[in-house]
Amino acid sequence: MNTKLKALKAAFPRTIPIMTGFLFLGAAYGIYARTSGLSAAAPILMAVVVFAGSMEFVAVDMLCGVFDPLNAFLMAIMVNARHLFYGIAMLDKYKKSGKKQWYLIFGLCDESFSINCTADVPEDVDQVWFYFWVTALNQLYWVSGAAAGALAGSFIHIELPGLDFVMTALLLVIFVDNWLKEKSHLSSIIGLAAAFVCLLIFGSNGFIVPSMAVILLVLTMLRKPIEKAMVEGDKS
């Protein structure tokens, strides 16, 4: 079997849960963008060139509001700061991916990171192509959902409150799923505690970057106890 096709065959089943979520969330995003006053092309274009779901929801309000590029820049950093840590975690996996590395970096979202970071790729499957197909399929699902929502939104002329919350709901589901699978909850508890404390100190508009910095610092300091807890969990 062709190397690319074999990798696609191995990657596709892993992305099916993401497909169901992204088609719905992408459609919600497309509808939200259209009902907010953007053209049908705008959410589709952003899904292709931005591909950062939570930021795309935020961008809708920015595009419909007062022109403020500095605020948009800072907001993009805060909303997507977690990708800095994703990138560090994927350095070893992506370093031998050649030209595909540029797309893998661009397309690294929460869901692709979750799959590519933890997937046990079969020995007879090319890992780089596996990572590529996971990333490409997930973006395809998001773009398809956004396009469907943008077109459907052209015929919707009522307010649909709550659509901007769907990305938060997806991230919550991912966290719960990870909580159920992990052997030790120490790192998750650290993340929750850091986010809660930073939320109290910096408020809802500025807690993301500080919380990520605190999480990185604490996880670095407690690396050995966390690894020990994970090993003990695997033994049990």
Side-chain angles (χ1 to χ4, degrees), residues 81-91 108-110 113 171:
R82 64 190 185 279
H83 291 174
L84 295 172
F85 303 94
Y86 292 170
I88 293 173
M90 299 303 290
L91 282 176
L108 185 61
C109 61
D110 303 302
F113 169 78
L171 295 177

Side-chain angles (χ1 to χ4, degrees), residues 71-179:
N71 180 61
F73 174 74
L74 295 175
M75 181 62 69
I77 291 178
M78 288 190 292
V79 171
N80 295 307
R82 64 190 185 279
H83 291 174
L84 295 172
F85 303 94
Y86 292 170
I88 293 173
M90 299 303 290
L91 282 176
D92 289 338
K93 291 181 178 291
Y94 287 176
K95 66 181 180 181
K96 296 181 180 180
S97 54
K99 293 182 179 180
K100 300 184 194 67
Q101 185 180 55
W102 298 106
Y103 177 68
L104 291 174
I105 293 171
F106 162 76
L108 185 61
C109 61
D110 303 302
E111 296 74 20
S112 295
F113 169 78
S114 179
I115 296 175
N116 287 341
C117 185
T118 60
D120 185 13
V121 183
E123 294 183 0
D124 61 337
V125 173
D126 185 281
Q127 289 189 347
V128 174
W129 275 109
F130 177 89
Y131 300 148
F132 173 85
W133 284 122
V134 167
T135 305
L137 287 170
N138 285 342
Q139 184 175 20
L140 176 63
Y141 303 149
W142 180 257
V143 173
S144 299
L151 296 176
S154 301
F155 304 98
I156 297 176
H157 304 289
I158 59 174
E159 293 188 2
L160 298 173
L163 284 178
D164 53 343
F165 184 75
V166 292
M167 185 55 64
T168 303
L170 174 63
L171 295 177
L172 179 60
V173 170
I174 292 174
F175 174 80
V176 172
D177 181 65
N178 183 71
W179 178 279

